[in-house]
Amino acid sequence: MSSSSSVSVVSGATARLLPGGPVADEVLAEVAASVGRLRAAGVTPALATVLVGDDDASAGYIRIKQRQAAELGFASPHVHLPASASQADLHAVLADFNADSGVHGVLVQHPIPGGLDYDRALAEVDPDKDVDGMHPVNMGRLALGLPGPLPCTPAGIEALLAFHRVPVSGREVVVLGRGATLGRPLAMLLAQKRPTANAAVTVVHTGVADWPRYTRRAEILVAAAGVPGIVRPEHVRPGAVVVGGGVRYEGRRLLPDVDESCARVAGAITPRVGGVGPTTVAMLFRNAVRAAQRQTGLG
Ligand SMILES: NC(=O)c1ccc[n+]([C@@H]2O[C@H](COP(=O)([O-])OP(=O)(O)OC[C@H]3O[C@@H](n4cnc5c(N)ncnc54)[C@H](OP(=O)(O)O)[C@@H]3O)[C@@H](O)[C@H]2O)c1
């Protein structure tokens, strides 16, 4: 199971590393097996992607997802709309995918050009085909504990902690950030009644000026602010588990919320690169194959 190393790149660090790669590998192996069963039953699961505009990074992300989809055995129909596309053009593409029973999951690559409204587009996706798990209906399902696609990054963090056998149940988790993508859904997820969750969760944000008072007592601290270097060793309880979710990109340079020196204080920590990211992508495909299973009644 866990293949984490106790050797960190930060000198003087003793924290055990919690890489996301092996977690993703395990999840994707399960996804590939599920896809194989669906195909054997005559259903090719299809994850449709929509790209609007010509942003190089977004086009690159879509290509990576399509390649991975193909490797896993998914069909991946794709629509590329020009940057001049209207909101109605985008909604029309989504309506077609919603109506197509051969398409089981739909992904709109974020960000979309400035004149378009991503949230409105997301709301047009059939909630049962929403592989990001971010549709308002799916956020509602999460809040109510109903089955449905889970938001990928929070679900990836729960899987990462479970894979590395970090006990969560009954422990104090502090999440720095209440954003819709990460902090807020993660807090809901880790407070659910389930052996890999079941935590006492506190969420802090800019409204809590003395947030270090809370993070310093956390047994598990999740950084979800998107402010490079905001979490420093003095914010971490010695021996705590630190998960770096928040990142900002400057060009291709990744700037994480968690300062690397936290590895000197933490008991376990996600690596600067290859922590939460790979688990997020794995959860996207897990949502896609589960969507196909639910829609076809197979598996
Ligand atoms: N690794 C991955 O795969 C992955 C995937 C998705 C997202 N992310 C990252 O996760 C981060 C969070 O994204 P999001 O969309 O959920 O959040 P978001 O909407 O960007 O909100 C950030 C949150 O952090 C809080 N915050 C910002 N600066 C703060 C400060 N100085 N002190 C205390 N709190 C502060 C904000 O507080 P207020 O609410 O008070 O403004 C807000 O709640 C981003 O960096 C994003 O890139 C990573």
Side-chain angles (χ1 to χ4, degrees):
M1 286 282 291
S2 167
S3 60
S4 59
S5 157
S6 60
V7 181
S8 168
V9 289
V10 179
S11 77
T14 53
R16 177 166 74 104
L17 283 183
L18 307 173
V23 192
D25 289 347
E26 187 177 85
V27 171
L28 292 174
E30 286 164 16
V31 169
S34 300
V35 170
R37 283 192 293 276
L38 284 166
R39 292 178 70 118
V43 172
T44 301
L47 170 58
T49 52
V50 185
L51 174 67
V52 190
D54 298 306
D55 179 64
D56 278 349
S58 295
Y61 291 134
I62 283 282
R63 271 196 302 276
I64 291 168
K65 284 171 192 161
Q66 284 180 316
R67 196 164 52 229
Q68 202 160 6
E71 281 167 16
L72 291 165
F74 286 89
S76 50
H78 178 64
V79 171
H80 184 183
L81 289 172
S84 59
S86 67
Q87 190 83 26
D89 295 335
L90 176 54
H91 290 190
V93 170
L94 298 175
D96 284 347
F97 282 143
N98 286 345
D100 185 343
S101 62
V103 168
H104 307 100
V106 178
L107 172 76
V108 182
Q109 181 63 42
H110 186 268
I112 58 179
L116 300 179
D117 184 332
Y118 180 81
D119 290 339
R120 271 180 62 209
L122 179 64
E124 292 294 315
V125 174
D126 178 340
D128 292 326
K129 297 188 179 187
D130 160 37
V131 290
D132 267 332
M134 295 293 301
H135 188 287
V137 167
N138 290 322
M139 294 296 252
R141 287 168 167 164
L142 172 62
L144 295 170
L146 298 172
L150 293 172
C152 296
T153 309
I157 289 175
E158 183 181 347
L160 183 134
L161 293 170
F163 179 93
H164 290 294
R165 308 205 171 192
V166 173
V168 176
S169 180
R171 300 182 94 199
E172 178 151 21
V173 176
V174 175
V175 181
L176 175 60
R178 58 179 163 190
T181 324
L182 185 46
R184 206 172 328 152
L186 178 67
M188 287 195 278
L189 197 64
L190 292 185
Q192 285 184 344
K193 201 166 186 171
R194 198 172 39 251
T196 53
N198 227 10
V201 185
T202 301
V203 182
V204 291
H205 38 73
T206 60
V208 183
D210 59 347
W211 58 260
R213 180 157 75 87
Y214 297 86
T215 61
R216 270 198 299 267
R217 69 175 200 216
E219 294 170 284
I220 300 169
L221 169 58
V222 183
V227 179
I230 189 171
V231 176
R232 301 197 43 81
E234 61 268 30
H235 303 136
V236 176
R237 172 175 162 161
V241 173
V242 178
V243 176
V247 287
R248 187 183 293 166
Y249 281 92
E250 266 182 23
R252 294 203 163 252
R253 215 167 133 239
L254 178 145
L255 302 172
D257 281 5
V258 176
D259 191 277
E260 279 183 282
S261 57
C262 291
R264 297 196 188 105
V265 180
I269 192 165
T270 51
R272 186 174 182 283
V273 177
V276 169
T279 68
T280 298
V281 178
M283 291 301 147
L284 182 86
F285 289 108
R286 189 175 80 174
N287 279 341
V289 78
R290 287 185 177 174
Q293 288 171 328
R294 272 196 305 272
Q295 286 160 45
T296 58
L298 297 167

